[in-house]
Amino acid sequence: MGIGNVSERRLAPPEVGVSVVVLALGPDATSSRSRLWMPLVRRVRQPFLGRWALPGGGLNAGRSLEQSAYGALESTTSLHPRYLEQLYTFGDPDRSCGGLPMVSIVYWALVGNAEARDFREGDNVKWFPEDELPELAFDHRAIIDYALWRLRTKIAYPDLAAKLVGETFTLSQLHDVVEAVTGEQVDLANFRRRILASGELEDTGAKERVGHHRPATVYRYISRAAPGPWNPYDWTGSAPDTPRDARSPDGDGRPADDDPLSALMPTSR
Amino acid sequence: MGIGNVSERRLAPPEVGVSVVVLALGPDATSSRSRLWMPLVRRVRQPFLGRWALPGGGLNAGRSLEQSAYGALESTTSLHPRYLEQLYTFGDPDRSCGGLPMVSIVYWALVGNAEARDFREGDNVKWFPEDELPELAFDHRAIIDYALWRLRTKIAYPDLAAKLVGETFTLSQLHDVVEAVTGEQVDLANFRRRILASGELEDTGAKERVGHHRPATVYRYISRAAPGPWNPYDWTGSAPDTPRDARSPDGDGRPADDDPLSALMPTSR
DNA sequence: ACAAAAGTGTTGACGGTACACCCATGC
DNA sequence: GCATGGGTGTACCGTCAACACTTTTGT
């Protein structure tokens, strides 16, 4: 543990870890609408002992960064995200707050309603609504803001909303998610057409009645994965179904600044 | 965060470093057009001794990641990029090739014609055209492919093309850059309109005569950066892109472009 | 019949593409 | 004049927002 004095620390290799910003839909006390919640864990060490922080952990040798993120999330919160993507790597010196230089590879994740129930709440692990966060350790507040920005700019893509809402859903539910995330109103009629035209939704045949009105057809998200050599990991080896949708680098007309990494990562061979 | 709030770090800390994919325009032996070139350095250690690899280095304690990338680039190639952005962090176990676990925080950079002349070529540092790369060390080939993909999908934004071509330029030059990068033909008339309509170009008043024909007006890129400090809650995703320059990090090394990180990085204090 | 949500049709604005056309310059 | 690249005009097409409209359900 005790690694010498300050001057020695500056030369020491930096600490490296992964952190995860996890986002899920939850109730809004007032408006009956949904809003975003995220799990935080209380720190049990210095610095920032007692402060809330993002779930995270060290790198597991022998596992990919993504697997490490998945594992860190599972061990701290027992959550199994439906979506997991690298966000950014932070490593500026002044974020270490006097400690060792600290590099955090941050992922962001979405969990559906079903998965969110796996969550084990405790004194040191709790959900917080996105707009009522406590004081956070390190620069985690800024990281969260960035993750939220990323979600809001990408939520237009059907798959992201689908990850948040769950396995199957009606178009109204999907629509509500988008409105809850962006905070803006979206014309339902046009939303419906756009989404259906994307070809990424499949009619399950089921119908769902919300009120006592006309039932809505229930859809499922289908990944239009490239037929190529795609290796569906299997982050944990234990997760029953963690279908991460494969998105081909160019296969679809998606301009997104998204990652084709899936296809070119060394594992894909 | 990283400082294992849960499981202990089981193994030795991984090696951490930065690497940079540098892209610049250069001549094409045949077609008189331009194509992309990039500098590589020959490894002088195991593993992959003698193989070509991306310029890179370790993290400098007391410096931001971006500054470390900038510094690594300067010390290996003496290049000063006009644009520098974090690309992705690689850390899968099978990229270490039997050595220690290795995490590479990869940046990508653009240098203009003027800056490219600072380059010191040597036996162990050379430019290579993008489509005639030698065998590369580690997974650097895949990393480069990803950086190229990123460039090609983002080149539509005027600022990127401007970084490649230099301080001032004619619309034809800018157009040539885009065609060289994407490999596709772009209607010049429409290109001109689109670019000018973006409001990111400014007429310098100068004219430039290439052949013995009508002189072309010379433009300069002007960043439409929002004046004043951003409100972290203002990102509502409206602005898809906020151009920026990568300047010498002793000013302020700021990250990325399509993201608001610039505003929230700890250094901004 | 009525209310409320599901789902459809229609229109018009806007942005981008294709391509014809005029302008400036040196020979 | 004529060749060459710089620069403009215009018609067309696809996409999407706005919003009126029809359908299906339970009471």
Side-chain angles (χ1 to χ4, degrees):
Chain A
M1 266 315 125
I3 307 187
N5 56 30
V6 174
S7 56
E8 279 172 348
R9 269 193 242 132
R10 286 179 59 87
L11 300 173
E15 287 284 322
V16 185
V18 291
S19 296
V20 188
V21 181
V22 185
L23 300 167
L25 283 180
D28 185 350
T30 62
S31 78
S32 87
R33 294 260 300 278
S34 295
R35 62 174 165 176
L36 288 168
W37 293 65
M38 68 183 68
L40 299 175
V41 304
R42 202 196 296 271
R43 286 184 56 80
V44 295
R45 299 190 191 184
Q46 292 292 358
F48 292 106
L49 195 157
R51 279 269 184 95
W52 295 94
L54 293 173
L59 294 184
N60 291 337
R63 291 181 151 205
S64 72
L65 296 180
E66 187 166 89
Q67 286 167 339
S68 293
Y70 193 94
L73 189 58
E74 186 178 38
S75 68
T76 52
T77 66
S78 60
L79 286 169
H80 300 263
R82 304 169 62 84
Y83 179 90
L84 188 62
E85 181 191 344
Q86 189 177 307
L87 181 67
Y88 199 81
T89 297
F90 298 83
D92 278 10
D94 48 0
R95 70 187 300 271
S96 62
C97 299
L100 291 157
M102 196 173 63
V103 171
S104 293
I105 303 161
V106 179
Y107 280 74
W108 67 293
L110 303 179
V111 306
N113 286 331
E115 294 77 29
R117 296 205 193 88
D118 298 345
F119 184 70
R120 283 182 317 210
E121 184 137 340
D123 281 350
N124 293 328
V125 194
K126 265 174 72 177
W127 286 102
F128 290 87
E130 159 254 325
D131 50 355
E132 294 176 33
L133 296 178
E135 289 246 335
L136 293 176
F138 303 106
D139 53 354
H140 288 191
R141 179 63 215 230
I143 292 174
I144 288 172
D145 285 338
Y146 179 47
L148 288 171
W149 174 83
R150 181 93 153 225
L151 172 63
R152 291 198 239 265
T153 57
K154 292 185 79 167
I155 193 67
Y157 301 117
D159 57 330
L160 287 205
K163 301 299 181 209
L164 272 175
V165 78
E167 175 70 18
T168 62
F169 45 83
T170 68
L171 288 185
S172 291
Q173 289 171 338
L174 210 62
H175 175 249
D176 287 346
V177 171
V178 172
E179 285 198 337
V181 169
T182 62
E184 295 170 4
Q185 287 214 331
V186 178
D187 184 288
L188 179 54
N190 295 327
F191 176 80
R192 145 187 251 84
R193 261 185 297 253
R194 241 188 307 122
I195 295 295
L196 290 179
S198 78
E200 302 187 24
L201 260 46
E202 179 188 55
D203 189 337
T204 63
K207 299 280 175 184
E208 183 172 327
R209 191 167 38 243
V210 180
H212 296 279
H213 314 296
R214 177 176 177 177
T217 73
V218 177
Y219 293 88
R220 167 190 304 118
Y221 176 79
I222 52 170
S223 80
R224 297 176 303 145
W230 162 249
N231 184 353
Y233 38 65
D234 197 47
W235 294 316
T236 60
S238 68
D241 51 352
T242 49
R244 151 131 192 196
D245 49 310
R247 295 198 295 269
S248 93
D250 42 18
D252 44 22
R254 229 183 266 176
D257 59 340
D258 215 324
D259 51 4
L261 280 173
S262 4
L264 58 83
M265 291 301 281
T267 61
S268 64
R269 174 168 307 107
Chain B
M1 148 124 3
I3 326 192
N5 37 7
V6 175
S7 51
E8 296 299 322
R9 181 151 299 104
R10 296 196 304 216
L11 293 156
E15 287 284 322
V16 187
V18 291
S19 297
V20 188
V21 181
V22 185
L23 300 167
L25 282 180
D28 187 350
T30 61
S31 76
S32 86
R33 294 259 302 277
S34 294
R35 62 174 164 175
L36 288 168
W37 293 65
M38 67 182 70
L40 298 175
V41 304
R42 204 196 296 271
R43 285 185 59 81
V44 295
R45 298 190 193 181
Q46 291 292 0
F48 292 105
L49 195 157
R51 278 269 184 92
W52 294 95
L54 292 173
L59 293 185
N60 290 338
R63 292 181 149 209
S64 72
L65 296 180
E66 186 168 271
Q67 286 167 339
S68 293
Y70 194 94
L73 188 59
E74 186 177 38
S75 68
T76 53
T77 66
S78 62
L79 286 169
H80 300 263
R82 303 169 61 84
Y83 180 92
L84 186 62
E85 181 191 343
Q86 188 177 308
L87 181 68
Y88 200 81
T89 297
F90 298 83
D92 280 10
D94 48 0
R95 69 189 300 272
S96 62
C97 299
L100 288 159
M102 196 174 62
V103 171
S104 292
I105 303 161
V106 179
Y107 279 74
W108 67 292
L110 303 180
V111 305
N113 285 331
E115 294 77 29
R117 297 204 193 91
D118 297 346
F119 184 70
R120 283 182 316 210
E121 184 136 339
D123 281 350
N124 293 328
V125 194
K126 263 175 72 179
W127 286 103
F128 291 88
E130 160 256 323
D131 50 355
E132 293 176 34
L133 295 179
E135 290 246 336
L136 293 176
F138 304 107
D139 53 355
H140 287 190
R141 180 65 214 228
I143 293 174
I144 288 172
D145 286 340
Y146 179 47
L148 287 171
W149 174 86
R150 180 92 154 225
L151 172 64
R152 290 196 239 267
T153 57
K154 293 186 79 167
I155 193 67
Y157 299 117
D159 58 328
L160 288 205
K163 301 299 180 209
L164 273 175
V165 79
E167 175 70 16
T168 62
F169 44 84
T170 69
L171 287 185
S172 292
Q173 289 171 337
L174 210 61
H175 175 251
D176 287 346
V177 171
V178 172
E179 285 198 337
V181 169
T182 63
E184 294 169 5
Q185 286 214 330
V186 178
D187 184 288
L188 178 56
N190 297 325
F191 175 80
R192 144 184 251 82
R193 260 186 298 256
R194 241 187 307 119
I195 295 296
L196 290 179
S198 77
E200 304 187 24
L201 259 46
E202 179 188 54
D203 188 338
T204 63
K207 300 279 175 185
E208 184 172 327
R209 191 168 38 244
V210 181
H212 296 279
H213 315 296
R214 175 176 178 177
T217 73
V218 177
Y219 292 88
R220 167 191 302 119
Y221 176 79
I222 52 170
S223 85
R224 299 171 302 145
W230 294 3
N231 180 342
Y233 297 103
D234 263 356
W235 299 332
T236 54
S238 55
D241 217 24
T242 44
R244 57 174 281 278
D245 313 77
R247 298 192 314 257
S248 165
D250 40 41
D252 64 332
R254 300 168 291 167
D257 85 302
D258 59 6
D259 51 19
L261 279 173
S262 359
L264 58 83
M265 292 302 281
T267 61
S268 62
R269 165 172 319 113

